[in-house]
Amino acid sequence: MTVVSCAERQIFKPVRSRKHLFSVDSKFNMANTTWLQKGFDQGAVLSKLIKDRAVCITITSFAAVQTGLTYFGMNGWICPFRHYLSCPCPGCGLTRASVAMVKGDFKEMLAYHALAPFFLVGLILIALGAILPSGLRERLILFVERIEVKTGLGIIFCGVLIAYWLIRLLFFTNSYMNLVMS
């Protein structure tokens, strides 16, 4: 039987100060934080993605290719959610909505997905996380994290996305399915 001292059981220590949430070091060392502080409990969803440059590069690359293919009228990747479940995912129509928004056709954008402008802002922030030098990137992460922690926008947005999807799926089934399955 192993005896663990109170100092080793950091997961049970209460969070007394949130000051550490706004400090970023060059390596984003999270070894001294508890499991509650590491997770998405503060609503900091986007800033967690931006902290990892490889994730930023991957998301930006895939989004750029998918959007480019759609912009030029070619078929992009098939949504695995839609392919295997024969049901549109919460993000179905976002690529076409983003392309319509870039082209200036806001009526078509709203028909495909009304949350496209918010996704584009998030994607721009992720792209900036991929290309900015370390100093500016750390400032961006701090800025996004402060907004997310103070407002809970990340969690609120995820809830709105799921609610929007369910409303479209349950109340506008035929028009929604025809639109995104085309």
Side-chain angles (χ1 to χ4, degrees), residues 9 11-12 30 70 102 120 126 137 139 156:
R9 292 191 288 163
I11 61 171
F12 298 110
M30 296 183 70
T70 304
V102 169
L120 278 178
I126 290 172
R137 189 168 154 269
R139 284 183 174 176
I156 291 169

Side-chain angles (χ1 to χ4, degrees), residues 67-120:
T67 305
L69 289 171
T70 304
Y71 184 84
F72 293 111
M74 296 186 259
N75 291 330
W77 294 296
I78 296 173
C79 173
F81 193 93
R82 186 177 86 180
H83 180 72
Y84 291 111
L85 299 177
S86 298
C87 174
C89 73
C92 270
L94 271 172
T95 304
R96 289 177 280 180
S98 299
V99 168
M101 190 172 80
V102 169
K103 289 181 177 179
D105 190 353
F106 294 102
K107 185 177 179 182
E108 185 177 346
M109 184 234 13
L110 287 173
Y112 280 122
H113 208 292
L115 301 178
F118 303 104
F119 270 97
L120 278 178

Side-chain angles (χ1 to χ4, degrees), residues 27-163:
K27 296 181 183 176
F28 300 105
N29 184 3
M30 296 183 70
N32 296 327
T33 59
T34 66
W35 66 275
L36 284 174
Q37 297 159 351
K38 289 180 185 178
F40 296 109
D41 60 309
Q42 299 296 322
V45 178
L46 185 59
S47 62
K48 300 287 184 203
L49 291 174
I50 299 172
K51 284 182 181 179
D52 190 346
R53 193 180 295 269
V55 169
C56 291
I57 292 169
T58 304
I59 291 172
T60 304
S61 300
F62 278 102
V65 170
Q66 179 73 2
T67 305
L69 289 171
T70 304
Y71 184 84
F72 293 111
M74 296 186 259
N75 291 330
W77 294 296
I78 296 173
C79 173
F81 193 93
R82 186 177 86 180
H83 180 72
Y84 291 111
L85 299 177
S86 298
C87 174
C89 73
C92 270
L94 271 172
T95 304
R96 289 177 280 180
S98 299
V99 168
M101 190 172 80
V102 169
K103 289 181 177 179
D105 190 353
F106 294 102
K107 185 177 179 182
E108 185 177 346
M109 184 234 13
L110 287 173
Y112 280 122
H113 208 292
L115 301 178
F118 303 104
F119 270 97
L120 278 178
V121 168
L123 188 58
I124 289 168
L125 291 172
I126 290 172
L128 288 173
I131 62 172
L132 285 176
S134 295
L136 291 175
R137 189 168 154 269
E138 288 176 10
R139 284 183 174 176
L140 173 69
I141 292 167
L142 279 174
F143 174 74
V144 172
E145 188 173 44
R146 282 183 182 144
I147 290 173
E148 286 183 305
V149 169
K150 285 182 180 181
T151 63
L153 276 178
I155 300 300
I156 291 169
F157 183 74
C158 290
V160 168
L161 176 65
I162 298 299

